[in-house]
Amino acid sequence: MSSGHPVRRARTALCAAAVAAALALTGQPSPAAAAPTAPPGTSVNAAFARAADAYDVPRDLLVAVGYGETRLDDHAGLPSQDHGFGMMHLVSNPERRLGAWHPGTARYGAPDGKVAARLYADAVYGLLGDGVRTRVGSGEPVALAPRTVRPERGPYAGTDTGAGLAAAAEYPSALWNPAYSGNYATGRSSPITTVVVHVTQGSYAGSISWFQNPSAQVSAHYVVRSSDGLITQAVREGDTAWHARSATPYSVGVEHKGYVDDPAWFDALYRSSAALTRHLTDKYGIPKDRAHIVGHSEVPGSDHTDPGPNWDWAYCMSLVRADDGATGTPFPTWGTDVSVRQQPTTDSARVASLPGPTSVRVACQVHGGLVEYDGYSNDAWSYLPDHGGYVSNIFIDVDDAWLPGVPTC
């Protein structure tokens, strides 16, 4: 998650012995039980099968939960933000029918809130229905054949995850699942001027559940699910979620389920995230640019790295501005690995790059930091709406330092 605070996440749903057995396949320690070290070259598939047979945990459920949590990536043994190790944490139950595991899976994913718990378990059962074909870090393939499973939701059957919750949220298509009142501040001390992009480093339901935990001391306004773009609102926009330190008074925080080192998590959520961001920028009059739509790592005083180098800012920003139509004048560029900066200065954050000569659309230009390169000197910068930042006019392949026919920003 985006907080940096320690997580005390209760894992109460499935048996500690199966956690140890499942985690043995990567040789990672379990917070619930000591895991034996797997011999070098241990097959992930064999470990799944062994854990299922020895501890009455369905193999396919292990694969679905593991894939939903980490895409079967143990992240080199490092803990997630909520202190989970390895691919998963599962525990035993004598009932072997897949459908009957829904309540246990729900409690595993989000022990602190029924709505988040059902959302989590429903997502896992969705993976059972869709099937999984992937490769783990060693290159070994892991597959889960699609199957229709009717979940026996038990105490979660009557939990509202639809219209009732949606009606309470401020964003029309979002669910309302409020954070614990002690994890945010009521009201605002500054006008809303910024949207901050986060990556959870954990699960969707787990993030929602953590915001409901009195120990968390963190929250965000919205959480976006990676599989289908489903959005949950946890804090009212008029209240101050604790998500980005110095930026919290004037920003809306949007968490995205995924991991900074794996871009596959982001594929399905860009459009949903961009639609939410567009809604917020229109509602509060926020400019649709990279000075006002920023990553957590770009907030002054931040010690976080999310959303990381795999977040496609150019694509995301193009979606945010999509309804505005194509704007700007096309110009050719030259140079290799040319930096696109958040602001028109060389010490501003690099938000994108131009790998080689190409064509760009220039919306406007402005005088900024002086750039000297290859015998040229120029303080003019062009704003590239498709890339969400500025490039020195030195790299615009025309004779004039100040581009003809382009307005001042």
Short mmCIF file of all heavy atoms in Angstrom, two decimals, residues 82-131:
data_model
loop_
_atom_site.label_atom_id
_atom_site.label_comp_id
_atom_site.label_asym_id
_atom_site.label_seq_id
_atom_site.Cartn_x
_atom_site.Cartn_y
_atom_site.Cartn_z
N ASP A 82 1.88 -5.32 3.10
CA ASP A 82 1.12 -5.82 4.24
C ASP A 82 1.80 -7.04 4.88
O ASP A 82 1.16 -7.85 5.52
CB ASP A 82 -0.33 -6.13 3.87
CG ASP A 82 -0.45 -7.12 2.73
OD1 ASP A 82 0.59 -7.54 2.20
OD2 ASP A 82 -1.58 -7.47 2.39
N HIS A 83 3.12 -7.15 4.67
CA HIS A 83 3.97 -8.12 5.34
C HIS A 83 3.64 -9.56 4.98
O HIS A 83 3.83 -10.46 5.79
CB HIS A 83 3.91 -7.92 6.86
CG HIS A 83 4.55 -6.65 7.31
ND1 HIS A 83 4.78 -6.36 8.64
CD2 HIS A 83 5.01 -5.58 6.62
CE1 HIS A 83 5.34 -5.17 8.74
NE2 HIS A 83 5.49 -4.68 7.53
N GLY A 84 3.18 -9.78 3.77
CA GLY A 84 2.97 -11.14 3.32
C GLY A 84 4.19 -11.63 2.56
O GLY A 84 4.82 -10.89 1.82
N PHE A 85 4.55 -12.91 2.78
CA PHE A 85 5.72 -13.49 2.13
C PHE A 85 5.30 -14.53 1.10
O PHE A 85 4.27 -15.20 1.25
CB PHE A 85 6.64 -14.16 3.16
CG PHE A 85 7.41 -13.20 4.00
CD1 PHE A 85 6.86 -12.67 5.16
CD2 PHE A 85 8.69 -12.81 3.65
CE1 PHE A 85 7.56 -11.79 5.95
CE2 PHE A 85 9.41 -11.92 4.42
CZ PHE A 85 8.84 -11.41 5.58
N GLY A 86 6.13 -14.67 0.09
CA GLY A 86 5.93 -15.71 -0.88
C GLY A 86 4.71 -15.48 -1.75
O GLY A 86 4.19 -14.38 -1.87
N MET A 87 4.25 -16.54 -2.38
CA MET A 87 3.15 -16.43 -3.32
C MET A 87 1.79 -16.33 -2.64
O MET A 87 0.85 -15.78 -3.19
CB MET A 87 3.15 -17.64 -4.25
CG MET A 87 4.37 -17.72 -5.16
SD MET A 87 4.31 -19.18 -6.19
CE MET A 87 5.83 -18.96 -7.13
N MET A 88 1.66 -16.87 -1.39
CA MET A 88 0.35 -16.95 -0.77
C MET A 88 0.46 -17.38 0.69
O MET A 88 1.50 -17.79 1.14
CB MET A 88 -0.51 -17.98 -1.52
CG MET A 88 0.11 -19.34 -1.52
SD MET A 88 -0.30 -20.28 -2.97
CE MET A 88 -2.06 -20.34 -2.82
N HIS A 89 -0.65 -17.30 1.41
CA HIS A 89 -0.75 -17.84 2.77
C HIS A 89 -2.08 -18.58 2.88
O HIS A 89 -3.13 -17.97 2.97
CB HIS A 89 -0.75 -16.71 3.81
CG HIS A 89 0.39 -15.77 3.68
ND1 HIS A 89 1.65 -16.05 4.13
CD2 HIS A 89 0.46 -14.53 3.13
CE1 HIS A 89 2.45 -15.03 3.87
NE2 HIS A 89 1.75 -14.09 3.26
N LEU A 90 -2.05 -19.90 2.89
CA LEU A 90 -3.28 -20.70 2.92
C LEU A 90 -3.26 -21.69 4.07
O LEU A 90 -2.21 -22.14 4.49
CB LEU A 90 -3.46 -21.48 1.60
CG LEU A 90 -3.86 -20.68 0.38
CD1 LEU A 90 -3.84 -21.57 -0.85
CD2 LEU A 90 -5.24 -20.09 0.56
N VAL A 91 -4.47 -22.06 4.56
CA VAL A 91 -4.58 -23.00 5.67
C VAL A 91 -5.72 -24.00 5.50
O VAL A 91 -6.68 -23.73 4.80
CB VAL A 91 -4.77 -22.27 7.01
CG1 VAL A 91 -3.59 -22.51 7.89
CG2 VAL A 91 -5.07 -20.83 6.80
N SER A 92 -5.63 -25.17 6.16
CA SER A 92 -6.41 -26.35 5.79
C SER A 92 -7.84 -26.39 6.31
O SER A 92 -8.20 -25.77 7.28
CB SER A 92 -5.69 -27.58 6.31
OG SER A 92 -6.32 -28.75 5.96
N ASN A 93 -8.62 -27.19 5.65
CA ASN A 93 -10.01 -27.43 6.01
C ASN A 93 -10.36 -28.80 5.45
O ASN A 93 -10.00 -29.10 4.32
CB ASN A 93 -10.90 -26.36 5.36
CG ASN A 93 -12.32 -26.43 5.85
OD1 ASN A 93 -12.94 -27.50 5.86
ND2 ASN A 93 -12.86 -25.29 6.24
N PRO A 94 -11.04 -29.66 6.23
CA PRO A 94 -11.34 -31.00 5.72
C PRO A 94 -12.31 -31.00 4.54
O PRO A 94 -12.42 -31.99 3.83
CB PRO A 94 -11.94 -31.72 6.93
CG PRO A 94 -12.41 -30.62 7.83
CD PRO A 94 -11.44 -29.50 7.63
N GLU A 95 -13.02 -29.91 4.31
CA GLU A 95 -13.96 -29.85 3.19
C GLU A 95 -13.21 -29.61 1.89
O GLU A 95 -12.52 -28.61 1.73
CB GLU A 95 -14.95 -28.69 3.43
CG GLU A 95 -15.90 -28.45 2.26
CD GLU A 95 -16.69 -29.68 1.92
OE1 GLU A 95 -17.52 -30.10 2.73
OE2 GLU A 95 -16.46 -30.23 0.82
N ARG A 96 -13.34 -30.53 0.92
CA ARG A 96 -12.57 -30.44 -0.30
C ARG A 96 -13.34 -29.84 -1.47
O ARG A 96 -12.77 -29.61 -2.52
CB ARG A 96 -12.05 -31.83 -0.71
CG ARG A 96 -11.03 -32.40 0.25
CD ARG A 96 -10.41 -33.64 -0.34
NE ARG A 96 -9.73 -33.36 -1.58
CZ ARG A 96 -8.43 -33.12 -1.68
NH1 ARG A 96 -7.68 -33.11 -0.60
NH2 ARG A 96 -7.88 -32.89 -2.85
N ARG A 97 -14.63 -29.57 -1.33
CA ARG A 97 -15.37 -29.00 -2.44
C ARG A 97 -14.96 -27.54 -2.62
O ARG A 97 -14.94 -26.76 -1.69
CB ARG A 97 -16.87 -29.08 -2.18
CG ARG A 97 -17.42 -30.51 -2.31
CD ARG A 97 -18.88 -30.54 -1.90
NE ARG A 97 -19.04 -30.04 -0.54
CZ ARG A 97 -20.09 -29.35 -0.13
NH1 ARG A 97 -21.03 -29.01 -0.97
NH2 ARG A 97 -20.18 -28.98 1.13
N LEU A 98 -14.68 -27.18 -3.86
CA LEU A 98 -14.21 -25.81 -4.12
C LEU A 98 -15.21 -24.76 -3.68
O LEU A 98 -14.85 -23.73 -3.11
CB LEU A 98 -13.90 -25.65 -5.61
CG LEU A 98 -12.55 -26.14 -6.10
CD1 LEU A 98 -12.48 -26.01 -7.62
CD2 LEU A 98 -11.43 -25.34 -5.46
N GLY A 99 -16.48 -24.97 -3.96
CA GLY A 99 -17.49 -23.96 -3.63
C GLY A 99 -17.56 -23.64 -2.16
O GLY A 99 -17.86 -22.51 -1.77
N ALA A 100 -17.30 -24.63 -1.31
CA ALA A 100 -17.42 -24.44 0.14
C ALA A 100 -16.29 -23.60 0.72
O ALA A 100 -16.35 -23.20 1.88
CB ALA A 100 -17.46 -25.80 0.84
N TRP A 101 -15.27 -23.32 -0.09
CA TRP A 101 -14.12 -22.57 0.43
C TRP A 101 -14.33 -21.05 0.35
O TRP A 101 -13.45 -20.29 0.73
CB TRP A 101 -12.86 -22.96 -0.34
CG TRP A 101 -12.30 -24.27 0.09
CD1 TRP A 101 -12.75 -25.51 -0.24
CD2 TRP A 101 -11.19 -24.47 0.97
NE1 TRP A 101 -11.98 -26.48 0.36
CE2 TRP A 101 -11.02 -25.86 1.11
CE3 TRP A 101 -10.33 -23.61 1.64
CZ2 TRP A 101 -10.02 -26.40 1.90
CZ3 TRP A 101 -9.32 -24.17 2.42
CH2 TRP A 101 -9.18 -25.55 2.55
N HIS A 102 -15.45 -20.60 -0.15
CA HIS A 102 -15.65 -19.16 -0.31
C HIS A 102 -15.52 -18.38 1.01
O HIS A 102 -14.77 -17.39 1.07
CB HIS A 102 -17.01 -18.88 -0.96
CG HIS A 102 -17.24 -17.44 -1.29
ND1 HIS A 102 -17.61 -16.52 -0.33
CD2 HIS A 102 -17.15 -16.75 -2.46
CE1 HIS A 102 -17.75 -15.34 -0.89
NE2 HIS A 102 -17.47 -15.45 -2.19
N PRO A 103 -16.19 -18.78 2.11
CA PRO A 103 -16.05 -18.00 3.35
C PRO A 103 -14.62 -17.95 3.88
O PRO A 103 -14.15 -16.91 4.34
CB PRO A 103 -16.99 -18.72 4.33
CG PRO A 103 -17.99 -19.41 3.45
CD PRO A 103 -17.21 -19.84 2.24
N GLY A 104 -13.92 -19.10 3.81
CA GLY A 104 -12.53 -19.10 4.27
C GLY A 104 -11.65 -18.22 3.42
O GLY A 104 -10.78 -17.51 3.92
N THR A 105 -11.87 -18.27 2.10
CA THR A 105 -11.10 -17.41 1.20
C THR A 105 -11.40 -15.95 1.48
O THR A 105 -10.50 -15.09 1.45
CB THR A 105 -11.45 -17.74 -0.27
OG1 THR A 105 -11.24 -19.14 -0.49
CG2 THR A 105 -10.59 -16.95 -1.23
N ALA A 106 -12.66 -15.64 1.77
CA ALA A 106 -13.05 -14.26 2.08
C ALA A 106 -12.34 -13.76 3.33
O ALA A 106 -11.80 -12.65 3.36
CB ALA A 106 -14.56 -14.18 2.24
N ARG A 107 -12.33 -14.59 4.37
CA ARG A 107 -11.68 -14.15 5.62
C ARG A 107 -10.18 -14.02 5.44
O ARG A 107 -9.55 -13.17 6.05
CB ARG A 107 -12.00 -15.16 6.74
CG ARG A 107 -13.45 -15.13 7.18
CD ARG A 107 -13.67 -15.90 8.48
NE ARG A 107 -13.27 -17.29 8.38
CZ ARG A 107 -14.09 -18.26 7.95
NH1 ARG A 107 -15.32 -17.97 7.56
NH2 ARG A 107 -13.66 -19.50 7.91
N TYR A 108 -9.61 -14.87 4.60
CA TYR A 108 -8.18 -14.76 4.30
C TYR A 108 -7.85 -13.42 3.64
O TYR A 108 -6.93 -12.73 4.00
CB TYR A 108 -7.76 -15.91 3.38
CG TYR A 108 -6.60 -15.53 2.50
CD1 TYR A 108 -5.33 -15.36 3.03
CD2 TYR A 108 -6.78 -15.30 1.14
CE1 TYR A 108 -4.27 -14.99 2.23
CE2 TYR A 108 -5.73 -14.93 0.33
CZ TYR A 108 -4.48 -14.78 0.89
OH TYR A 108 -3.44 -14.40 0.10
N GLY A 109 -8.65 -13.04 2.67
CA GLY A 109 -8.32 -11.86 1.87
C GLY A 109 -8.56 -10.56 2.58
O GLY A 109 -7.82 -9.60 2.38
N ALA A 110 -9.60 -10.49 3.42
CA ALA A 110 -9.95 -9.22 4.07
C ALA A 110 -10.68 -9.52 5.37
O ALA A 110 -11.91 -9.48 5.44
CB ALA A 110 -10.82 -8.37 3.14
N PRO A 111 -9.94 -9.83 6.43
CA PRO A 111 -10.58 -10.24 7.68
C PRO A 111 -11.30 -9.13 8.42
O PRO A 111 -12.05 -9.40 9.35
CB PRO A 111 -9.40 -10.77 8.51
CG PRO A 111 -8.21 -10.06 7.97
CD PRO A 111 -8.47 -9.88 6.50
N ASP A 112 -11.09 -7.87 8.02
CA ASP A 112 -11.64 -6.76 8.81
C ASP A 112 -12.92 -6.16 8.26
O ASP A 112 -13.45 -5.22 8.84
CB ASP A 112 -10.58 -5.65 8.93
CG ASP A 112 -9.32 -6.14 9.63
OD1 ASP A 112 -9.46 -6.82 10.65
OD2 ASP A 112 -8.22 -5.85 9.15
N GLY A 113 -13.43 -6.64 7.14
CA GLY A 113 -14.65 -6.06 6.58
C GLY A 113 -15.35 -7.04 5.67
O GLY A 113 -14.74 -7.65 4.80
N LYS A 114 -16.67 -7.19 5.84
CA LYS A 114 -17.40 -8.20 5.08
C LYS A 114 -17.48 -7.86 3.59
O LYS A 114 -17.42 -8.74 2.75
CB LYS A 114 -18.80 -8.38 5.66
CG LYS A 114 -18.82 -9.02 7.04
CD LYS A 114 -20.23 -9.42 7.47
CE LYS A 114 -20.77 -10.58 6.65
NZ LYS A 114 -22.07 -11.07 7.16
N VAL A 115 -17.66 -6.58 3.26
CA VAL A 115 -17.77 -6.22 1.85
C VAL A 115 -16.45 -6.49 1.13
O VAL A 115 -16.42 -7.11 0.06
CB VAL A 115 -18.18 -4.74 1.68
CG1 VAL A 115 -18.15 -4.34 0.22
CG2 VAL A 115 -19.57 -4.51 2.26
N ALA A 116 -15.34 -6.03 1.71
CA ALA A 116 -14.04 -6.28 1.10
C ALA A 116 -13.75 -7.77 1.03
O ALA A 116 -13.17 -8.26 0.06
CB ALA A 116 -12.95 -5.56 1.89
N ALA A 117 -14.15 -8.51 2.06
CA ALA A 117 -13.92 -9.95 2.08
C ALA A 117 -14.67 -10.64 0.95
O ALA A 117 -14.13 -11.50 0.25
CB ALA A 117 -14.35 -10.53 3.43
N ARG A 118 -15.94 -10.26 0.74
CA ARG A 118 -16.67 -10.90 -0.36
C ARG A 118 -16.10 -10.49 -1.70
O ARG A 118 -16.01 -11.31 -2.62
CB ARG A 118 -18.16 -10.54 -0.29
CG ARG A 118 -18.89 -11.12 -1.49
CD ARG A 118 -20.36 -11.12 -1.41
NE ARG A 118 -20.92 -11.42 -2.72
CZ ARG A 118 -22.21 -11.56 -2.98
NH1 ARG A 118 -23.09 -11.42 -2.00
NH2 ARG A 118 -22.63 -11.82 -4.20
N LEU A 119 -15.72 -9.22 -1.85
CA LEU A 119 -15.11 -8.78 -3.10
C LEU A 119 -13.87 -9.61 -3.40
O LEU A 119 -13.63 -10.01 -4.54
CB LEU A 119 -14.75 -7.30 -3.03
CG LEU A 119 -15.90 -6.30 -3.10
CD1 LEU A 119 -15.39 -4.89 -2.78
CD2 LEU A 119 -16.56 -6.32 -4.47
N TYR A 120 -13.07 -9.86 -2.37
CA TYR A 120 -11.84 -10.64 -2.55
C TYR A 120 -12.16 -12.06 -3.00
O TYR A 120 -11.61 -12.56 -3.99
CB TYR A 120 -11.04 -10.65 -1.26
CG TYR A 120 -9.77 -11.45 -1.37
CD1 TYR A 120 -8.59 -10.85 -1.79
CD2 TYR A 120 -9.74 -12.81 -1.07
CE1 TYR A 120 -7.42 -11.58 -1.91
CE2 TYR A 120 -8.58 -13.55 -1.19
CZ TYR A 120 -7.42 -12.93 -1.62
OH TYR A 120 -6.28 -13.66 -1.74
N ALA A 121 -13.04 -12.73 -2.25
CA ALA A 121 -13.35 -14.13 -2.57
C ALA A 121 -14.02 -14.24 -3.94
O ALA A 121 -13.72 -15.17 -4.71
CB ALA A 121 -14.24 -14.72 -1.49
N ASP A 122 -14.92 -13.31 -4.26
CA ASP A 122 -15.56 -13.36 -5.57
C ASP A 122 -14.53 -13.21 -6.69
O ASP A 122 -14.65 -13.83 -7.75
CB ASP A 122 -16.60 -12.25 -5.69
CG ASP A 122 -17.88 -12.57 -4.90
OD1 ASP A 122 -17.99 -13.69 -4.36
OD2 ASP A 122 -18.77 -11.69 -4.83
N ALA A 123 -13.50 -12.38 -6.46
CA ALA A 123 -12.46 -12.21 -7.47
C ALA A 123 -11.67 -13.50 -7.65
O ALA A 123 -11.32 -13.89 -8.77
CB ALA A 123 -11.53 -11.07 -7.08
N VAL A 124 -11.38 -14.21 -6.55
CA VAL A 124 -10.66 -15.48 -6.64
C VAL A 124 -11.50 -16.50 -7.41
O VAL A 124 -10.99 -17.22 -8.29
CB VAL A 124 -10.32 -16.02 -5.24
CG1 VAL A 124 -9.81 -17.45 -5.31
CG2 VAL A 124 -9.27 -15.12 -4.58
N TYR A 125 -12.79 -16.56 -7.12
CA TYR A 125 -13.65 -17.51 -7.83
C TYR A 125 -13.83 -17.10 -9.28
O TYR A 125 -14.06 -17.96 -10.15
CB TYR A 125 -14.99 -17.66 -7.10
CG TYR A 125 -14.89 -18.67 -5.97
CD1 TYR A 125 -14.29 -18.33 -4.77
CD2 TYR A 125 -15.34 -19.97 -6.14
CE1 TYR A 125 -14.16 -19.25 -3.75
CE2 TYR A 125 -15.22 -20.90 -5.12
CZ TYR A 125 -14.62 -20.55 -3.93
OH TYR A 125 -14.48 -21.47 -2.92
N GLY A 126 -13.69 -15.81 -9.57
CA GLY A 126 -13.67 -15.38 -10.96
C GLY A 126 -12.46 -15.92 -11.69
O GLY A 126 -12.55 -16.31 -12.87
N LEU A 127 -11.31 -15.99 -11.01
CA LEU A 127 -10.11 -16.58 -11.61
C LEU A 127 -10.29 -18.07 -11.85
O LEU A 127 -9.81 -18.62 -12.85
CB LEU A 127 -8.90 -16.32 -10.72
CG LEU A 127 -8.37 -14.90 -10.70
CD1 LEU A 127 -7.31 -14.74 -9.61
CD2 LEU A 127 -7.79 -14.51 -12.05
N LEU A 128 -10.99 -18.74 -10.93
CA LEU A 128 -11.29 -20.16 -11.17
C LEU A 128 -12.11 -20.32 -12.43
O LEU A 128 -11.92 -21.26 -13.21
CB LEU A 128 -12.04 -20.74 -9.97
CG LEU A 128 -11.24 -20.98 -8.69
CD1 LEU A 128 -12.18 -21.34 -7.55
CD2 LEU A 128 -10.21 -22.09 -8.90
N GLY A 129 -13.06 -19.42 -12.66
CA GLY A 129 -13.89 -19.50 -13.84
C GLY A 129 -13.14 -19.15 -15.12
O GLY A 129 -13.39 -19.76 -16.17
N ASP A 130 -12.23 -18.19 -15.03
CA ASP A 130 -11.49 -17.75 -16.21
C ASP A 130 -10.32 -18.66 -16.56
O ASP A 130 -9.91 -18.74 -17.72
CB ASP A 130 -10.97 -16.32 -16.01
CG ASP A 130 -12.09 -15.31 -15.90
OD1 ASP A 130 -13.21 -15.61 -16.36
OD2 ASP A 130 -11.85 -14.22 -15.34
N GLY A 131 -9.76 -19.29 -15.53
CA GLY A 131 -8.56 -20.07 -15.74
C GLY A 131 -7.31 -19.21 -15.68
O GLY A 131 -7.37 -17.98 -15.76
#
